[in-house]
């Protein structure tokens, strides 16, 4: 009985060690897989490269009710057209105006952003989110202001 059990155990060990050949992930890659990986890697370089003159604009101290504007310059440092398909402010008081058409490689275009401080006293920080055809697909700009309330409006000398 013991001989029979030992024989079965030995047979099981032999079968397990010979039938379970270890394969690494690299062994499973075919020529088609390698071609697909090469195409995917080459597509990564097809995106436009976006650069801004600034990512944040601080309006400083402004009076409640003032509508202030700033311009962010965007440059396409890539080799294909840069497209800004959508631009949204974080609230209705922040309105971005992106370029209408594509930004060609090597060129720049303005993004005008206005901020209406009516009903917004105190420290303000708003964002503008751009939907683009860059690798990340999204870019964010920021504006800041310290809004003096109506009852304490700053006066400017002329």
């Amino acid at each position: 009985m013991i001989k029979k059990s030992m024989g079965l155990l030995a047979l099981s060990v032999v079968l397990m060690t010979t039938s379970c050949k270890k394969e690494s992930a690299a062994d499973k890659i075919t020529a088609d897989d390698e071609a697909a990986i090469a195409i995917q890697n080459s597509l990564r370089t097809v995106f436009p490269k976006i650069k801004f003159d600034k990512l944040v604009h601080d309006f400083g101290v402004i009076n409640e009710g003032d509508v202030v504007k700033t311009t962010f310059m965007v440059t396409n440092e890539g080799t294909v057209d840069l497209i800004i398909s959508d631009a949204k402010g974080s609230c209705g008081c922040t309105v971005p105006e992106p370029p209408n058409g594509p930004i060609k490689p090597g060129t720049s275009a303005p993004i005008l952003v206005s901020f209406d401080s009516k009903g917004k006293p105190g420290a303000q920080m708003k964002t503008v989110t751009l939907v683009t055809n860059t690798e990340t697909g999204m870019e964010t700009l920021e504006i800041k202001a310290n809004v003096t309330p109506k009852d304490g409006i700053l006066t400017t000398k002329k």
Side-chain angles (χ1 to χ4, degrees), residues 19-58:
S19 65
C20 294
K21 179 186 171 200
K22 288 187 178 183
E23 264 188 291
S24 69
D27 294 336
K28 295 179 182 179
I29 294 177
T30 66
D32 288 340
D33 294 332
E34 288 176 358
I37 291 168
I39 290 169
Q40 185 176 17
N41 287 337
S42 70
L43 288 176
R44 287 189 182 135
T45 61
V46 176
F47 296 104
K49 185 177 178 190
I50 194 167
K51 182 181 177 189
F52 296 97
D53 65 335
K54 59 187 173 184
L55 294 174
V56 178
H57 179 79
D58 190 344

Side-chain angles (χ1 to χ4, degrees), residues 81-147:
D81 289 356
L82 169 63
I83 298 168
I84 300 174
S85 58
D86 195 17
K88 290 192 190 298
S90 55
C91 75
C93 63
T94 306
V95 180
E97 296 177 32
N100 290 329
I103 303 168
K104 299 287 183 192
T107 63
S108 299
I111 298 173
L112 180 66
V113 177
S114 62
F115 170 67
D116 184 349
S117 64
K118 181 180 179 182
K120 303 282 184 200
Q124 299 293 316
M125 192 280 300
K126 306 295 179 188
T127 58
V128 172
T129 303
L130 306 173
V131 177
T132 66
N133 64 330
T134 59
E135 187 170 8
T136 60
M138 196 174 293
E139 308 294 331
T140 305
L141 303 171
E142 184 178 300
I143 59 169
K144 297 178 182 183
N146 190 0
V147 181

